[in-house]
Structure formats: structure tokens, C-alpha cells
Amino acid sequence: MIVIGELINGTRKKVKKAIAEKDAEYIAGLAKKQVAAGADFVDCNPGTVGEQEVSDMVWLVETVQAVTDKPIAFDSPNAEAVRAGIAAYRGGSAGMINSITLESERLNSMLPVVKEADMNVVALALDDAGMPTAAGQREETAKRLIDTLVDAGISAEKIFVDPVIAPVSTQPEVAGHILQAIEAIRDYCPQCHITGGLSNISFGLPNRRLLNRTFLTLAIAAGMDSAVMDPLDKAIMAEVLAAEALTGKDEWCMNYITASREGKLDC
Amino acid sequence: MIVIGELINGTRKKVKKAIAEKDAEYIAGLAKKQVAAGADFVDCNPGTVGEQEVSDMVWLVETVQAVTDKPIAFDSPNAEAVRAGIAAYRGGSAGMINSITLESERLNSMLPVVKEADMNVVALALDDAGMPTAAGQREETAKRLIDTLVDAGISAEKIFVDPVIAPVSTQPEVAGHILQAIEAIRDYCPQCHITGGLSNISFGLPNRRLLNRTFLTLAIAAGMDSAVMDPLDKAIMAEVLAAEALTGKDEWCMNYITASREGKLDC
């Protein structure tokens, strides 16, 4: 499981305040804690707009890379903010652009950045038709987006397809649609990674962490190998190890047994 | 999810002692606690042999039905013990025989009891070839056993197929085999229930409850609708509700939301 640590996100109240006040200690602390807990990427989402977002992204990147060498995910729909973050970044192609879509405007603005950066990229299965609602729509859009990226010279190994995780509270069949899309994308592009904003599944419902980790187990079995998630949530990190042990991704359960010895499964 | 409460099992140390000493208070307490926690059946497994098992089964049945009206599952490979338990039982066809197999000796001794009792029956997918090891073996045996039972006049709704849950520690691919068998059995007999001794999956590994509940989520998605399990394990009961909400078995998540309000998901 490739964990994209989600906590540095300006739509979260405390993070918004820390960004506004340039509280580097708070942001650096979030970066270090996520890396210590197993994050493979540290997501940076300023949550602001326009010129403010551009300068906030640069500040986040500088603040995070001052305390960790783990790659950064530049999380914004704004190509200028992503471009500025990358310019301030020392990690080169190890980084991640989060995200590109097939929406005309976003594709036109972000594709040149993606081609130039030669780094990992989250490919969110959205086009100008808006949020997917029908079965089959996610994988159809994802396949076109994968083709577009591969045609542009991006190698499949760098593409992290996001099937658009949406709330089960507003559409009961959505979890089934997403799992079906994950299976179809896994078949279509075995070299691609599959990721997603996990916590969207539980939006509007109580006990969200329980739903998040239960859904992640189903998604791992379907072929997902990454998630934008909270690595400080011990219960979900433990369930990921259990799911990998049960789905042949951790043969003889060696990672599971090691994690147990380290006390990481007690939750 | 039809929960078969597993705790009254003579292979567990304290239960073995309680049965030996005829400690009715302890056994009755286990029955009441399981029912309060959501058990649909109270499993009674004396864990002894021969004539002792017959009298122990009768005592367990009398002790349990003195404190609850929930149906009892008569858990023994010994047809005489099951027959004696049924004779002492007041619940009639609501009860459950656990279990019959396609092993010649067990089939010959247990099928007359099953036909006569007209109650629910666990159909364990074993034949004289022994424990399944190859992919496809579980569903093949299960289908033959379903056919045998239906031919004998047992209605499909009363058959609880058990695909033989075995330890992932000794065969890494076993979880995949079981999930594939569940899907195949669900297709073959939509009216049948599918159950299993859940905790077998984690035998020999640490943090067993974590593996048990993670596997149950995958099994529910594959089509399992019952399990022989510990209803006092709050975390697994919560994950069952989450899995049902995510797999379209709890539309609009009403059971999930109700359980949350009742504090049943806080674990």
C-alpha cells in the first residue's frame, strides 16, 4: 500500500490557521508524524485560491522538505500553484502531481506541467460530464485519461488512477461502482497504481473511520494499491496489513507478523 | 448477517471446566450475553466424546433454553449427540444441526437426523478426500452436498453452506480460494445461506480478531450472510455493519446509523 498522507490540507481548520499564520512548526510536525507512521508521500494542499495559493504552496513545500526527504504530493487543481511548488521542490521526479483530470480546462492547463515534471501523477477519472453516477462511467473515463497520459509520454508506472471515491450516504450503490471500476482499471493497466481520497466514502455518516477502513479492505481486494489517507489512524494502518495478508499481497504474512511484534496492530 | 454465537464450545478451557462441573450459571451467562450482543443462534458444542458427549449435549441444551428462546445450534460430528440434543429441545424447526458433510460415514449417520428434524443445517464442504487444498475444490464439494441435501427433501433456505475456512498461515492462497467458493456457491444456490467458522482463518497468527473481521468484510462482499463467530467482539460486529452498508445490504445505511446512535460502533 502506497500511503499518501492527507493531513496537510488547508480545508482542515487547524491547518488553514497554520498556513495563514505561517506556523511552520505545526506543519513540519504534521509532516514528520505522517512519515513516522508510514506515509510514502506527504500531500500538500494549501486550500486557498489564486496568487495566495501559489505562495502558500511554495511555503508548504519548503516547510515540509526542511524536515523530511519523503516525496511531496502537490495537491491543487491550479496548475500555477503546482508549477510553483515543483520549482521550489528538491525531490525531482520522486514527487507527485495531485491531480489531472479529463475536464478540458484542467487537462489543458495541467498536462504541460505533468509532461515537463516527469513525476508521479494522480489521474482523477472526471471529465466535463461531471461527477460519475452510472455504473461503468468511472472506468470508462479512467481508461480515456490513462490513454491520454500514456500518449503524452507519461509511463504507466507513474500514473495513480483515482476512480473518484464518493459518499455512500448519497448513493447506496456507489461503493459497488467504485470497486467494479478498480477491478476494470487494474485489468486495463496492470502497471498503473490505483489510489483515491478514501474518506470521501464516509462523508455524511457517523463513525467515519470504521467505514473508511472497511471500504479500504474491499478496495485492496479489488486491486487498489494506494490511498490518500490518514496514516496516524492506527486502526486503518492495521487493517491494511490484515487485508494484504489475506489477499496474497503479503505472502506468509511476514509484514503482518512483523507489525504485530512492533505493536502496530493493537488497536 | 446471521450470527451463530460460538462461545459455548467445550474446546475452550473455561467452558470445558464448566461442562465438567455442570456449572449452569456460567453456561447460561454465556448464552444470555451472546443473545444480548446480537447472536441469532446459540451454538452448543460439548467438546467431549461418546456417551459423555450425548449427556453433555442434553445438559447444554437444557441449560441454554432455560434462559433464552433464541434457537440452538447442535454442534457435533456425532449423530447420537445431535439427536439427543434435539430430543431435549423445545424450539422445533427453528434450531440448527451443525454439521453434515459428504464424508461417507458422517453423511450416512447424520442425514437421517437432518431429514427427521426438518431444521436448519450447516453443510460443511468436506468429502472423503479430506481438507480442500486446490482452487475450485470447495465449491465443487459444496455443490454436490447441496444437491444431496435438496434431493433428500431439505429446502435450500435451511441450508447453511460452510466452504471450510482454513488458516491463511499454512496456505497463503486459501483466503482467495474461500472467497471464490463463496461467490460460486452464492451463484449456484441463491436461496442458501453461506456461513463458516470464521476464526479458523487466523489460526497460528497474532492479532487474530483483526484478521477475522477483515476477512469477514471480504466474505460479506463475496456473498456470505452468516458466520460462526464471537458476538461479544464489538469490533467485528461494528465492521459487519460497515461492510453491509458498503455492499448494498443496508440501503441508505439505516442499520449503520441506528447502531451508531446506540454506541455500538465505538470500538
Side-chain angles (χ1 to χ4, degrees):
Chain A
M1 172 69 33
I2 300 171
V3 176
I4 304 168
E6 71 183 3
L7 295 180
I8 302 178
N9 187 315
T11 63
R12 299 176 64 226
K13 210 164 160 183
K14 282 187 181 175
V15 174
K16 184 188 170 105
K17 184 162 174 281
I19 292 172
E21 297 173 356
K22 298 291 173 282
D23 179 352
E25 197 180 324
Y26 183 77
I27 298 297
L30 278 184
K32 285 191 281 186
K33 275 189 271 189
Q34 291 184 96
V35 170
D40 299 295
F41 289 86
V42 179
D43 196 76
C44 288
N45 180 335
T48 43
V49 292
E51 276 313 303
Q52 186 63 45
E53 181 173 21
V54 174
S55 63
D56 286 342
M57 179 69 91
V58 170
W59 179 76
L60 283 178
V61 169
E62 286 171 347
T63 304
V64 170
Q65 69 184 357
V67 294
T68 178
D69 291 331
K70 280 282 172 189
I72 287 174
F74 308 91
D75 186 353
S76 168
N78 175 351
E80 286 321 302
V82 171
R83 200 188 292 273
I86 291 171
Y89 181 55
R90 292 193 308 263
S93 62
M96 175 181 276
I97 293 170
N98 182 10
S99 59
I100 194 165
T101 70
L102 269 180
E103 298 162 297
S104 312
E105 202 178 320
R106 186 139 162 203
L107 183 68
N108 290 336
S109 65
M110 203 65 92
L111 191 56
V113 185
V114 171
K115 287 168 73 167
E116 194 182 309
D118 188 34
M119 52 174 62
N120 303 289
V121 59
V122 175
L124 182 65
L126 278 179
D127 61 13
D128 290 322
M131 281 294 285
T133 51
Q137 202 177 342
R138 287 174 164 79
E139 48 268 45
E140 191 274 324
T141 308
K143 289 174 186 177
R144 280 190 289 124
L145 181 49
I146 292 167
D147 291 348
T148 302
L149 291 170
V150 170
D151 288 349
I154 314 300
S155 68
E157 292 79 9
K158 299 204 157 186
I159 303 173
F160 284 66
V161 185
D162 180 335
V164 188
I165 301 183
V168 72
S169 58
T170 54
Q171 195 189 7
E173 61 275 29
V174 78
H177 290 180
I178 298 166
L179 295 171
Q180 178 190 310
I182 291 171
E183 289 184 12
I185 295 163
R186 176 51 66 229
D187 277 352
Y188 186 72
C189 185
Q191 300 84 21
C192 290
H193 298 285
I194 304 178
T195 192
L198 186 64
S199 64
N200 294 337
I201 197 75
S202 60
F203 183 81
L205 287 169
N207 295 86
R208 294 187 63 179
R209 285 168 182 253
L210 170 61
L211 280 169
N212 295 347
R213 65 181 179 258
T214 305
F215 183 70
L216 186 53
T217 287
L218 297 174
I220 288 171
M224 197 168 178
D225 66 341
S226 171
V228 182
M229 57 186 270
D230 177 5
L232 303 189
D233 178 346
K234 274 193 77 170
I236 198 171
M237 296 297 274
E239 188 150 330
V240 164
L241 286 158
E244 291 181 339
L246 291 166
T247 55
K249 293 169 185 79
D250 172 21
E251 205 167 12
W252 301 111
C253 310
M254 294 312 294
N255 292 337
Y256 184 85
I257 292 167
T258 303
S260 176
R261 288 198 184 125
E262 292 169 350
K264 289 181 180 167
L265 305 185
D266 305 322
C267 49
Chain B
M1 170 69 34
I2 300 170
V3 176
I4 304 168
E6 70 183 2
L7 294 180
I8 302 179
N9 186 315
T11 64
R12 299 175 65 225
K13 212 165 160 184
K14 283 186 180 175
V15 175
K16 183 188 171 103
K17 185 163 174 282
I19 292 172
E21 297 173 356
K22 298 292 174 281
D23 180 351
E25 196 180 324
Y26 183 77
I27 298 297
L30 278 184
K32 285 191 281 187
K33 274 189 272 190
Q34 290 184 95
V35 170
D40 298 294
F41 289 86
V42 179
D43 196 75
C44 289
N45 179 336
T48 42
V49 292
E51 278 311 305
Q52 185 64 46
E53 182 173 20
V54 175
S55 63
D56 286 342
M57 179 68 92
V58 170
W59 179 76
L60 284 177
V61 169
E62 286 170 347
T63 305
V64 169
Q65 70 185 353
V67 294
T68 178
D69 291 331
K70 280 282 170 187
I72 287 175
F74 308 91
D75 186 354
S76 167
N78 176 350
E80 286 320 304
V82 171
R83 200 188 294 272
I86 291 171
Y89 181 55
R90 293 194 305 263
S93 64
M96 174 180 280
I97 294 171
N98 182 11
S99 59
I100 194 165
T101 70
L102 270 181
E103 297 161 298
S104 312
E105 203 179 319
R106 188 142 164 198
L107 183 66
N108 289 337
S109 64
M110 202 65 91
L111 190 55
V113 186
V114 171
K115 286 167 75 168
E116 195 182 308
D118 188 34
M119 51 175 60
N120 302 290
V121 59
V122 175
L124 182 65
L126 278 179
D127 61 13
D128 291 323
M131 281 293 286
T133 52
Q137 203 177 341
R138 286 175 164 79
E139 49 268 44
E140 191 275 326
T141 308
K143 289 174 187 177
R144 280 190 289 126
L145 181 49
I146 292 167
D147 290 348
T148 301
L149 291 169
V150 170
D151 287 349
I154 315 300
S155 69
E157 292 77 11
K158 297 205 158 186
I159 303 174
F160 283 66
V161 185
D162 180 335
V164 187
I165 301 183
V168 72
S169 58
T170 55
Q171 194 189 6
E173 59 275 28
V174 78
H177 291 180
I178 299 165
L179 296 170
Q180 179 191 308
I182 292 171
E183 289 183 13
I185 295 163
R186 176 52 62 232
D187 278 352
Y188 187 72
C189 185
Q191 300 83 22
C192 289
H193 299 285
I194 304 177
T195 194
L198 186 64
S199 64
N200 294 336
I201 197 76
S202 61
F203 183 81
L205 287 170
N207 294 85
R208 293 187 63 179
R209 284 168 182 254
L210 170 61
L211 280 169
N212 295 348
R213 65 180 178 258
T214 305
F215 183 69
L216 186 53
T217 287
L218 297 174
I220 288 170
M224 197 167 180
D225 66 340
S226 170
V228 182
M229 56 186 269
D230 176 6
L232 304 189
D233 178 347
K234 274 192 78 168
I236 199 170
M237 296 297 275
E239 188 149 330
V240 164
L241 286 159
E244 290 181 340
L246 291 166
T247 55
K249 292 167 186 79
D250 173 20
E251 206 167 12
W252 302 113
C253 310
M254 294 312 294
N255 292 338
Y256 183 86
I257 292 166
T258 303
S260 174
R261 286 195 186 128
E262 291 168 350
K264 290 182 179 168
L265 305 184
D266 305 323
C267 51

